[in-house]
Amino acid sequence: MILRASVLLTMLALTGCDEPLTLAQVCKETPGFCSDLNKDSHCKNERSVVILKRYTEYKKPTDENKYQLLKGFESYNQCITLAAKIEHKKLKSKTTSRIVGQLTSIKEITRLYQDTQKTNHPGLLYYHWSRNNDQGALNKLLTLENDKSVTQSAEMQFFLASYYMKFDDEKTIDLLYKTLELNKEGIEPNPEVYTSLISLFYKHKKFKHAYIFSKVAQMSGIENIDLLPIEHQLLSNGKSLESLDTLAQQTYEHIQNGEFVSPREF
């Protein structure tokens, strides 16, 4: 659902009016943006996103557009790499086109990294560090930590949390809370926001917090959340799960409505 919404928003952004530019129009004007991707129905949404974002970057090659295209190609690459392993028994050409799409994504990801070596874009800096272990990019990103482009971005707050998680639990929790505060209505946060909070709260014996976010994670459709150890700790201390269930429901609704406010009780 989120990916389909992204496709629609991208189409609207391309035209700036009520009549979005269609995939057919992009492929007609710039056929090369479509012909080097897979031709079958695999990874349909990811393919659509990439085509539209390729056109956007072609028309306006800003760092922001390169960043959005890079993310699109990463998602497409993950999908098409799996699809390329599925051999089509009747039509070998379908398997071949998936391999072509896979190679295109690798080539384009490489190009985007090369084009943005000197970037100051926080998202690109994070990708250069996290994917290519570029310590210079990390240092640049950390100097931007208090910049509005980082402090007002849920995505960037989560990226910073993933860095600080290795050595600063308190700051990580603050950043994860800020990620949820900045989360827009109707957008599902990255599942790792919840699983990280659960892990950190359990580690520091904040069992009420761990329980609440475990329930929120379950409501969000995240599987394999083990509540039993947390429930055991709470019940053995005479805590009421019913009241915590109510808090968890309220927390979930606030996040879904884009109204979450950090309790900052760590």
Side-chain angles (χ1 to χ4, degrees):
M1 178 63 79
I2 294 174
L3 191 54
R4 290 179 182 175
S6 174
V7 175
L8 178 59
L9 289 172
T10 301
M11 292 168 74
L12 289 171
L14 287 173
T15 59
C17 62
D18 293 332
E19 296 182 7
L21 188 67
T22 66
L23 288 174
Q25 289 173 313
V26 173
C27 292
K28 182 178 180 180
E29 182 179 337
T30 51
F33 291 167
C34 309
S35 61
D36 60 355
L37 303 175
N38 65 300
K39 306 294 192 297
D40 60 3
S41 61
H42 275 81
C43 310
K44 183 178 179 180
N45 287 332
E46 290 84 356
R47 182 178 183 272
S48 298
V49 167
V50 161
I51 290 171
L52 294 171
K53 291 186 184 300
R54 288 179 101 173
Y55 186 84
T56 303
E57 193 247 352
Y58 164 67
K59 288 292 187 180
K60 194 174 181 181
T62 63
D63 275 5
E64 174 62 21
N65 288 339
K66 289 180 185 296
Y67 176 55
Q68 296 301 327
L69 179 57
L70 176 60
K71 291 196 294 181
F73 263 119
E74 278 214 341
S75 295
Y76 175 74
N77 177 263
Q78 290 169 4
C79 180
I80 204 63
T81 297
L82 291 174
K85 295 177 182 177
I86 305 171
E87 183 176 352
H88 199 286
K89 297 185 182 302
K90 293 184 179 180
L91 296 174
K92 296 289 185 182
S93 60
K94 289 193 174 183
T95 303
T96 301
S97 81
R98 295 171 202 163
I99 294 173
V100 170
Q102 181 187 20
L103 293 174
T104 295
S105 65
I106 294 170
K107 180 184 74 174
E108 281 293 276
I109 288 170
T110 301
R111 175 186 72 82
L112 289 163
Y113 278 129
Q114 290 174 341
D115 284 355
T116 57
Q117 286 293 320
K118 297 181 180 180
T119 187
N120 289 309
H121 186 286
L124 286 168
L125 290 172
Y126 175 79
Y127 268 55
H128 275 284
W129 168 64
S130 62
R131 273 57 168 180
N132 300 326
N133 196 30
D134 186 336
Q135 293 301 308
L138 174 61
N139 292 336
K140 269 189 181 183
L141 175 59
L142 293 177
T143 65
L144 295 172
E145 189 172 343
N146 296 316
D147 189 85
K148 199 171 182 179
S149 63
V150 175
T151 61
Q152 298 304 307
S153 166
E155 181 180 53
M156 290 310 305
Q157 292 297 288
F158 174 68
F159 286 166
L160 283 176
S162 69
Y163 166 70
Y164 282 106
M165 189 175 295
K166 300 173 183 176
F167 58 90
D168 192 333
D169 290 352
E170 184 173 354
K171 185 160 187 173
T172 300
I173 290 172
D174 282 342
L175 287 165
L176 292 172
Y177 271 153
K178 188 67 183 293
T179 301
L180 295 177
E181 283 187 335
L182 293 169
N183 193 68
K184 302 296 184 184
E185 180 180 2
I187 301 296
E188 283 293 341
N190 189 311
E192 290 184 28
V193 173
Y194 296 134
T195 55
S196 298
L197 282 171
I198 295 165
S199 176
L200 288 167
F201 284 136
Y202 191 85
K203 173 184 175 182
H204 290 278
K205 303 186 187 304
K206 301 283 185 178
F207 300 119
K208 289 193 296 183
H209 295 69
Y211 181 84
I212 288 170
F213 280 100
S214 293
K215 297 294 285 190
V216 170
Q218 288 184 333
M219 292 177 206
S220 301
I222 301 174
E223 300 178 353
N224 302 321
I225 300 295
D226 188 4
L227 269 169
L228 286 177
I230 304 172
E231 289 178 345
H232 174 74
Q233 292 288 345
L234 290 169
L235 292 172
S236 63
N237 290 319
K239 303 296 183 182
S240 168
L241 298 184
E242 186 176 348
S243 62
L244 294 179
D245 286 337
T246 300
L247 280 173
Q249 181 65 42
Q250 292 173 348
T251 301
Y252 173 74
E253 291 173 359
H254 288 158
I255 293 169
Q256 292 296 306
N257 295 330
E259 300 171 348
F260 178 80
V261 177
S262 167
R264 304 198 184 280
E265 293 178 1
F266 180 74

